[in-house]
């Protein structure tokens, strides 16, 4: 791995409520260099919470602690909210799991991309609009001029996701956190969007945190894979070594995948072990 | 007899100059107790087909019938109980200010069921959530947990047909396996018929015996599961989808870019 862009040690996130505390993330440690790092794991294992904790976009009821959370030499946990906003706006982009939720419902999607462009580039509206249209085309939207004028509820799931990606590419960040960026896309568009991210890593040297549950994809797309269970990283592997996983949980996930041409009466499901939730060792 | 029969379905959406044809002469038919897959390009109109069948759009042309009854002749409450939909996006479909309990009991109340309490707790167990989720709000659940609530809500009225729009795309693979197994069990126990939209051809292969491939509002190819798996797809687009399903394939991306 190259010099890390992001270095996290023993990240803990606790959701506090009047009735319960939930340790959603426990002692998670990882580095991301100029590479594609996947976080996989079952629903509720804490993947999105890790991604959001890095940019400090968690609900107020969440408490974040870490021995270290360094990004480009800055400790993210000690930055003021203002400085953090700057990091979020310019250095770290986040593609959220639920695209439509993060678009403004009463503004056309095209105007939102144009506005995002103008936040980062002081140019007249007309020029920004042209750039926005080009940006929409670059994420494989076939008829950008038509899509530009649609409202969020009028675009299909896959289009909404690509619009979010188009917006996120505008500030030229050095780290992209992509939370299930392709689960709403058809397989050919998915590969095309991944190729855009792939190029950013290769040509611009950005780091990519790729949160996904598509094990098949992660295996062929990512350099490294972190496997999360119950808030902890239980195994870390090279992408192309995922098939040789040692942990029973990782093996169980792989076994539960349906595969084309290999029809079984029932898919195998996880037989969860208490030992999988035992505290892992902290990293120095 | 087919449970779902769609003939020459066409639909325009949008106002004025933005109006355009979204569906173009779609035909498909699904036997009772079967699962039929709908795959294809993002934005090709798959969800729109489901919305037409669910009765959410009404200005289409062509014919839709379920269980031998045409849409025009059916009563709305009855149609609605027979056909339930699970949406792609669990945020949009779950009322953010309602507890799970309310979300699940409301349809039962509207349709005059008596043993609401028992049905709600049973369905929560059936979708693998359990009773402790009953009094939570949607925002207190993870994406996957939320989608299970949506599935529970679709099942709660014991429909004959489930229209499944990417029902497992927000779920991790182990929960997906549980939910797909659950769908298989329920189909047998309750004689359900499924129309399943998915981008994951492996899921379609696992669940369905026939499928249609859509692009730009049209069906480009209809084929059986055997044909899909054993090289029987004739359309180039279908074969591209199959190849793209295998892995991240940079060569294929470059080919696609060169072709467009
Ligand atoms: N705002 C919140 N308040 C309380 N608990 C929360 C909140 N957000 C998430 N959680 C809980 O924290 C845990 C981790 O959630 P998270 O969203 O990080 O999971 P995930 O791995 O991203 O799951 P998915 O694959 O379903 O998106 C879950 O048990 C979830 O219910
Ligand atoms: N109200 C509307 N006005 C104009 N166009 C619309 C409207 N609603 C949907 N569309 C368009 O209809 C087309 C079909 O959308 P649909 O949601 O059915 O696609 P889909 O095949 O389900 O795609 P995905 O796989 O991305 O979910 C899209 O191009 C969308 O932009
Ligand atoms: Mg998540
Ligand atoms: Mg759709």
């Amino acid at each position: 791995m190259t010099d890390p862009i992001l270095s996290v040690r023993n990240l803990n996130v606790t959701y506090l409520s009047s009735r319960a505390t939930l340790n959603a993330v426990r002692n998670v440690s990882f580095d991301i260099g100029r590479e594609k790092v996947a976080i996989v794991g079952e629903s509720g294992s804490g993947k999105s919470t890790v991604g959001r904790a890095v940019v400090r976009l968690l609900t107020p009821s969440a408490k974040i602690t870490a021995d270290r959370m360094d990004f480009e030499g800055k400790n993210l946990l000690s930055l003021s909210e203002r400085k953090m906003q700057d990091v979020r706006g310019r250095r770290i982009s986040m593609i959220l799991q639920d695209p439509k939720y993060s678009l403004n419902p009463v503004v056309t999607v095209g105007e939102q991309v144009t506005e995002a462009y103008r936040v980062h580039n002081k140019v007249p509206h007309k020029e920004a609009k042209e750039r926005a249209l080009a940006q929409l085309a670059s994420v494989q939207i076939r008829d950008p001029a038509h899509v530009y004028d649609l409202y969020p509820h009028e675009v299909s799931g896959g289009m909404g996701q690509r619009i979010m990606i188009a917006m996120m590419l505008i500030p030229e960040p050095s780290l992209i956190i992509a939370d299930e960026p392709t689960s709403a896309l058809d397989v050919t568009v998915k590969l095309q969007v991944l190729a855009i991210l792939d190029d950013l890593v290769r040509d611009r040297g950005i780091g990519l945190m790729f949160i996904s549950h598509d094990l098949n994809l992660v295996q062929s797309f990512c350099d490294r894979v972190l496997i999360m269970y119950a808030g902890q990283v239980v195994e870390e592997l090279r992408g192309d070594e995922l098939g040789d996983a040692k942990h029973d949980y990782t093996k169980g996930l792989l076994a539960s995948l349906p595969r084309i041409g290999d029809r079984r009466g029932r898919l195998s499901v996880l037989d969860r072990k208490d030992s999988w939730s035992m505290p892992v060792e902290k990293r120095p | 007899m087919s449970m779902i029969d769609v003939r020459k379905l066409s639909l325009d959406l949008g106002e004025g100059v933005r109006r355009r044809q979204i569906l173009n002469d779609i035909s498909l038919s699904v036997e009772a107790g079967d699962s039929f897959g709908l795959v294809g390009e993002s934005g090709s109109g798959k969800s729109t087909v489901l919305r037409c069948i669910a009765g959410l759009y009404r200005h289409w042309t062509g014919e839709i019938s379920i269980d031998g009854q045409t849409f025009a002749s059916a009563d709305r409450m009855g149609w609605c109980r027979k056909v339930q939909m699970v949406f792609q996006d669990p945020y949009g479909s779950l009322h953010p200010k309602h507890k799970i309990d309310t979300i699940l009991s409301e349809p039962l109340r509207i349709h005059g069921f008596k043993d609401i309490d028992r049905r709600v707790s049973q369905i929560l167990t059936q979708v693998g959530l359990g009773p402790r989720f009953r009094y939570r709000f949607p925002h207190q659940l993870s994406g996957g947990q939320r989608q299970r609530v949506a599935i529970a809500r679709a099942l709660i009225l014991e429909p004959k047909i489930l229209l499944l729009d990417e029902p497992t795309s927000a779920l991790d693979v182990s929960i997906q396996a549980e939910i797909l197994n659950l769908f298989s069990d329920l189909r047998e126990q309750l004689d359900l018929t499924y129309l399943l939209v998915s981008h994951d051809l492996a899921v379609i292969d696992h669940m369905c015996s026939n499928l249609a491939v859509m692009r730009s509002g049209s069906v480009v190819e209809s084929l059986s599961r055997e044909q899909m798996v054993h090289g029987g797809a004739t359309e180039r687009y279908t074969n591209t989808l199959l190849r793209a399903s295998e892995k991240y394939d940079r060569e294929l991306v470059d080919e696609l870019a060169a072709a467009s």
Side-chain angles (χ1 to χ4, degrees):
Chain A
M1 193 193 59
T2 52
D3 266 359
I5 297 169
L6 175 69
S7 180
V8 174
R9 287 296 173 276
N10 301 312
L11 171 67
N12 284 276
V13 180
T14 309
Y15 289 111
L16 306 165
S17 77
S18 51
R19 273 176 294 113
T21 44
L22 176 71
N23 299 315
V25 171
R26 298 186 284 152
N27 293 318
V28 165
S29 300
F30 59 91
D31 293 321
I32 299 182
R34 304 173 191 293
E35 58 178 341
K36 295 163 286 191
V37 177
I39 303 185
V40 302
E42 65 183 348
S43 186
S45 60
K47 306 180 296 295
S48 297
T49 303
V50 168
R52 287 168 171 273
V54 169
V55 286
R56 288 175 31 196
L57 273 181
L58 287 166
T59 51
S61 67
K63 195 168 139 282
I64 312 175
T65 62
D67 292 346
R68 178 157 97 221
M69 201 155 82
D70 290 345
F71 169 73
E72 294 185 323
K74 290 192 270 284
N75 176 1
L76 291 176
L77 282 179
S78 64
L79 290 186
S80 67
E81 182 49 34
R82 234 191 87 92
K83 288 245 171 66
M84 196 62 217
Q85 270 175 16
D86 211 52
V87 169
R88 286 197 289 260
R90 294 174 197 284
R91 306 307 303 153
I92 306 181
S93 282
M94 184 141 184
I95 312 172
L96 294 174
Q97 190 166 2
D98 303 274
K100 290 188 189 171
Y101 200 60
S102 34
L103 289 167
N104 182 344
V106 297
V107 178
T108 65
V109 294
E111 266 320 293
Q112 296 189 51
V113 181
T114 298
E115 275 318 306
Y117 192 79
R118 290 184 72 185
V119 167
H120 296 281
N121 303 276
K122 298 275 163 279
V123 297
H125 184 271
K126 186 158 175 289
E127 188 184 330
K129 178 169 178 178
E130 272 160 28
R131 297 306 301 261
L133 285 166
Q135 201 70 249
L136 290 175
S138 80
V139 289
Q140 318 296 331
I141 286 177
R142 272 228 213 142
D143 186 356
H146 170 68
V147 171
Y148 191 97
D149 290 323
L150 296 177
Y151 288 91
H153 74 274
E154 296 175 339
V155 301
S156 74
M159 263 189 239
Q161 193 60 286
R162 277 176 284 167
I163 289 156
M164 289 304 299
I165 292 170
M167 284 172 63
M168 158 236 83
L169 295 180
I170 288 168
E172 311 202 349
S174 64
L175 177 70
I176 293 176
I177 299 173
D179 193 349
E180 306 274 3
T182 59
S183 60
L185 302 178
D186 76 59
V187 282
T188 61
V189 172
K190 167 154 78 182
L191 294 200
Q192 288 169 310
V193 166
L194 291 178
I196 297 169
L197 296 173
D198 198 12
D199 287 346
L200 289 171
V201 173
R202 204 181 48 196
D203 304 339
R204 290 203 215 151
I206 65 152
L208 175 67
M209 183 195 290
F210 188 80
I211 299 171
S212 176
H213 50 71
D214 192 335
L215 293 168
N216 217 5
L217 188 68
V218 154
Q219 195 159 11
S220 51
F221 180 65
C222 289
D223 301 297
R224 290 186 299 123
V225 185
L226 310 176
I227 296 104
M228 283 190 75
Y229 182 78
Q232 303 189 107
V233 173
V234 295
E235 188 165 23
E236 183 176 338
L237 293 159
R238 282 209 343 236
D240 55 10
E241 284 175 342
L242 193 57
D244 307 323
K246 300 272 179 306
H247 201 285
D248 283 342
Y249 172 60
T250 316
K251 288 196 235 174
L253 288 181
L254 287 164
S256 64
L257 276 178
R259 295 180 193 274
I260 294 176
D262 167 28
R263 196 177 207 173
R264 290 159 283 175
R266 299 183 75 72
L267 295 167
S268 79
V269 297
L270 279 180
D271 179 17
R272 290 181 177 70
K273 301 267 185 327
D274 288 342
S275 60
W276 296 351
S277 324
M278 300 290 257
V280 297
E281 240 173 84
K282 285 176 114 185
R283 281 225 329 235
Chain B
M1 190 195 64
S2 35
M3 180 55 92
I4 307 173
D5 207 22
V6 175
R7 290 268 157 259
K8 295 189 173 299
L9 175 67
S10 294
L11 176 78
D12 289 358
L13 284 178
E15 302 297 326
V17 289
R18 298 197 302 136
R19 192 167 186 88
R20 52 181 55 207
Q21 185 164 19
I22 303 297
L23 299 180
N24 181 8
D25 256 353
I26 304 285
S27 296
L28 55 91
S29 107
V30 189
E31 296 302 302
D34 222 347
S35 297
F36 188 94
L38 210 48
V39 304
E41 201 174 33
S42 298
S44 61
K46 303 180 297 294
S47 300
T48 308
V49 170
L50 298 198
R51 282 189 212 114
C52 290
I53 299 173
L56 299 175
Y57 291 129
R58 336 206 115 203
H59 61 286
W60 38 265
T61 59
E63 205 168 286
I64 300 177
S65 49
I66 58 171
D67 209 5
Q69 248 194 334
T70 62
F71 186 74
S73 67
D75 81 290
R76 281 183 59 175
M77 278 293 252
W79 189 279
C80 172
R81 262 197 67 178
K82 268 191 206 157
V83 186
Q84 286 287 316
M85 183 149 167
V86 176
F87 293 91
Q88 190 166 13
D89 167 13
Y91 278 91
S93 61
L94 297 181
H95 195 298
K97 294 219 163 68
H98 285 175
K99 289 191 171 145
I100 307 312
D101 183 56
T102 313
I103 289 169
L104 295 178
S105 24
E106 208 167 63
L108 290 171
R109 216 163 281 130
I110 292 170
H111 286 266
F113 282 84
K114 294 277 169 321
D115 48 350
I116 292 179
D117 189 63
R118 185 189 63 80
R119 283 171 186 270
V120 169
S121 76
Q122 182 184 328
I123 204 74
L124 279 172
T125 307
Q126 268 181 326
V127 298
L129 281 173
R132 71 200 163 97
F133 286 87
R134 187 160 175 174
Y135 296 100
R136 290 212 201 168
F137 289 99
H139 73 265
Q140 294 170 321
L141 307 179
S142 76
Q145 291 163 342
R146 242 183 313 241
Q147 191 60 316
R148 292 211 218 187
V149 174
I151 293 167
R153 188 185 49 183
L155 291 171
I156 197 119
L157 289 176
E158 301 181 349
K160 286 198 149 174
I161 296 171
L162 277 192
L163 306 173
L164 305 170
D165 196 349
E166 294 278 1
T168 59
S169 74
L171 306 180
D172 65 89
V173 292
S174 64
I175 308 301
Q176 167 171 283
E178 289 173 17
I179 296 285
L180 294 181
N181 287 343
L182 175 67
F183 279 142
S184 300
D185 293 346
L186 291 167
R187 188 179 60 192
E188 243 163 67
Q189 289 162 16
L190 308 170
D191 274 331
L192 291 167
T193 303
Y194 296 149
L195 184 51
L196 168 64
V197 171
S198 177
H199 289 305
D200 188 336
L201 294 189
V203 168
I204 297 287
D205 175 34
H206 181 75
M207 295 293 294
C208 303
S209 38
N210 292 287
L211 65 147
V213 181
M214 285 185 67
R215 193 170 202 197
S216 307
S218 301
V219 171
V220 296
E221 182 167 14
S222 293
L223 66 170
S224 69
R225 179 220 163 228
E226 281 73 24
Q227 284 172 310
M228 169 174 89
V229 172
H230 299 117
T234 54
E235 288 296 319
R236 191 197 174 99
Y237 182 63
T238 311
N239 283 305
T240 305
L241 286 182
L242 279 163
R243 211 177 129 197
S245 299
E246 277 167 33
K247 59 177 200 303
Y248 175 65
D249 180 345
R250 191 61 210 232
E251 246 171 67
L252 177 59
V253 175
D254 295 338
E255 278 175 43
L256 290 170
S260 69

